[in-house]
Amino acid sequence: MLGLDISSTSVKLLELSRSGGKFRVESYGVEPLPGNAVVEKNIADTEGVGEAIERLIGRTKTKVKNAAVAVAGSAVITKTIEMPANLNENELDAQIRIEANQYIPYPLDEVALDFEVQGPSPRSEEQNEVLLVACRKENVEMRQEVLEIGGLKAKVVDIEANCIQRAFGLIREQFVMEGEVDKIIAIVDIGATMTTLSVLTDASAPYTREQLFGGKQLTEDIQRRYSLSVDEAGLAKKQGGLPDDYEAEVLQPFKESVVQQVTRSLQFFYSSSAYDYVDHIILAGGTASIEGLAELVAEKLGVPATIANPFGEMAFSSRVDEKNLTNDAPALMIACGLAMRSFDE
């Protein structure tokens, strides 16, 4: 399956293969989306997004037709419930649908529902803990529709935070020593309009929180300060060539804003959990690549911070531009976690 991450400004495609336990990137690409095609993780322009996917398929020349996509954590209700351990899958499915009403604030015919048995309940060996996941059907159907327009078939609809957690497995050894199980890792994914904090603890589901803040703010700051169009500002942000005062007057205040957002997100986590610290911060998303940002976060918060790169141990096919992929790596955590669904045992 292709991993296809539909964000607010672009579609990111990643195709992986695996041989002898080692992954290889077969194809990858990023295609910009029309303005406001996706607003706060909701697809508003199905044609625009579908056509971007079609262009991306053409450019990457992938032959794979099945894809895995994700919905935002804020679109999903998750609940761990207990069910009798002696039920088979069909009985469990029927029982969960009967009981789901009390956990889901929507009519069941408007909801896409799934579940996964997590294992025996610590309270009773006759019960299993079951993770129940529900999402409005329209969120799933919109993603199916844009994939079809692009010539693909949706095989899996996942949750963004779970994809980030799966991709983190590729870089886990850098942060967690052999035998350590209780390291608390915060992954801060700073996209164009949304910042998502995922905290991985030894609990099965990651803590997630989304905030409206992202790299688009820097683009708008550049636009205002230097009287540029949106496209010109976006290009200047990536390629440079801005006046000498840019670093001090625009970039540094934006980096300080990022630090404030990370601080605020972590404070929410501390106030709603039993934890009051994290061991490491990993910065993901396109904004993470800003020079000096990881160092500033580490300095201000007193916690080691690193930029995400899930491709460090991977091989690359000859048609993949390794330099571009490395530059885009922090923004490809979700796409990578989706592509890894191909290898579910």
Side-chain angles (χ1 to χ4, degrees):
M1 281 184 293
L2 299 172
L4 208 70
D5 175 21
I6 302 167
S7 72
S8 52
T9 54
S10 65
V11 180
K12 305 173 191 78
L13 176 150
L14 187 69
E15 179 190 346
L16 297 178
S17 62
R18 188 169 68 175
S19 172
K22 191 177 169 78
F23 287 107
R24 183 171 114 132
V25 180
E26 296 296 341
S27 53
Y28 120 92
V30 180
E31 182 67 28
L33 287 171
N36 298 322
V38 177
V39 180
E40 291 176 27
K41 309 273 186 172
N42 294 314
I43 296 170
D45 173 7
T46 49
E47 286 294 326
V49 177
E51 285 163 9
I53 292 170
E54 193 174 25
R55 288 193 296 276
L56 196 48
I57 299 295
R59 199 154 45 78
T60 55
K61 299 185 168 57
T62 177
K63 299 284 187 284
V64 179
K65 291 297 176 202
N66 291 328
V69 288
V71 292
S74 56
V76 175
I77 296 163
T78 57
K79 186 86 182 155
T80 301
I81 61 175
E82 295 201 347
M83 302 296 281
N86 59 1
L87 298 180
N88 65 33
E89 183 124 351
N90 289 340
E91 291 167 338
L92 191 55
D93 186 62
Q95 191 65 31
I96 280 174
R97 288 181 192 283
I98 292 165
E99 296 199 15
N101 272 323
Q102 58 187 303
Y103 306 111
I104 297 161
Y106 308 114
L108 281 188
D109 58 358
E110 292 178 13
V111 169
L113 192 68
D114 204 357
F115 64 89
E116 186 175 82
V117 177
Q118 302 289 289
S121 163
R123 283 165 294 284
S124 164
E125 56 188 40
E126 291 172 5
Q127 299 280 100
N128 274 339
E129 285 197 335
V130 178
L131 180 65
L132 177 67
V133 184
C135 173
R136 295 291 291 266
K137 271 186 185 165
E138 62 200 42
N139 278 320
V140 174
E141 287 164 357
M142 282 286 215
R143 280 158 178 77
Q144 287 177 294
E145 190 180 333
V146 296
L147 260 64
E148 278 169 22
I149 294 169
L152 297 174
K153 183 175 171 51
K155 291 293 278 188
V156 167
V157 179
D158 208 329
I159 304 167
E160 288 181 355
N162 292 25
C163 300
I164 289 172
Q165 186 178 17
R166 198 175 301 116
F168 171 71
L170 298 170
I171 53 176
R172 185 180 169 80
E173 294 73 47
Q174 295 172 30
F175 309 103
V176 182
M177 307 305 282
E178 194 75 43
E180 283 183 323
V181 289
D182 53 357
K183 275 281 179 89
I184 301 159
I185 309 290
I187 302 174
V188 184
D189 190 310
I190 311 161
T193 60
M194 197 81 82
T195 295
T196 305
L197 169 71
S198 304
V199 184
L200 311 182
T201 62
D202 51 8
S204 56
Y207 165 93
T208 63
R209 182 182 169 82
E210 292 172 3
Q211 279 176 261
L212 268 177
F213 173 84
K216 192 177 176 189
Q217 189 174 315
L218 178 57
T219 310
E220 287 167 356
D221 293 346
I222 293 167
Q223 223 185 315
R224 271 195 300 274
R225 175 109 190 160
Y226 305 112
S227 304
L228 299 172
S229 72
V230 181
D231 292 347
E232 288 167 341
L235 210 57
K237 182 169 83 169
K238 283 194 180 77
Q239 298 180 353
L242 285 160
D244 292 346
D245 68 351
Y246 166 66
E247 199 83 27
E249 297 294 323
V250 181
L251 187 60
Q252 192 58 33
F254 175 75
K255 281 157 63 170
E256 300 280 355
S257 294
V258 172
V259 173
Q260 281 176 356
Q261 294 295 331
V262 174
T263 305
R264 197 173 299 158
S265 292
L266 286 171
Q267 279 166 351
F268 274 113
F269 167 65
Y270 299 145
S271 66
S272 62
S273 74
Y275 301 97
D276 57 4
Y277 69 95
V278 294
D279 292 300
H280 206 106
I281 296 169
I282 299 170
L283 298 176
T287 304
S289 305
I290 291 175
E291 203 171 320
L293 184 59
E295 290 80 359
L296 188 65
V297 168
E299 178 197 327
K300 298 282 189 188
L301 275 77
V303 178
T306 312
I307 294 169
N309 178 9
F311 306 110
E313 300 295 314
M314 290 194 193
F316 304 96
S317 101
S318 55
R319 59 184 180 171
V320 169
D321 184 322
E322 208 172 318
K323 185 169 178 290
N324 282 350
L325 180 69
T326 304
N327 288 341
D328 286 331
L332 290 166
M333 286 286 278
I334 292 172
C336 185
L338 286 167
M340 288 169 74
R341 285 296 300 264
S342 302
F343 311 101
D344 282 358
E345 300 306 334

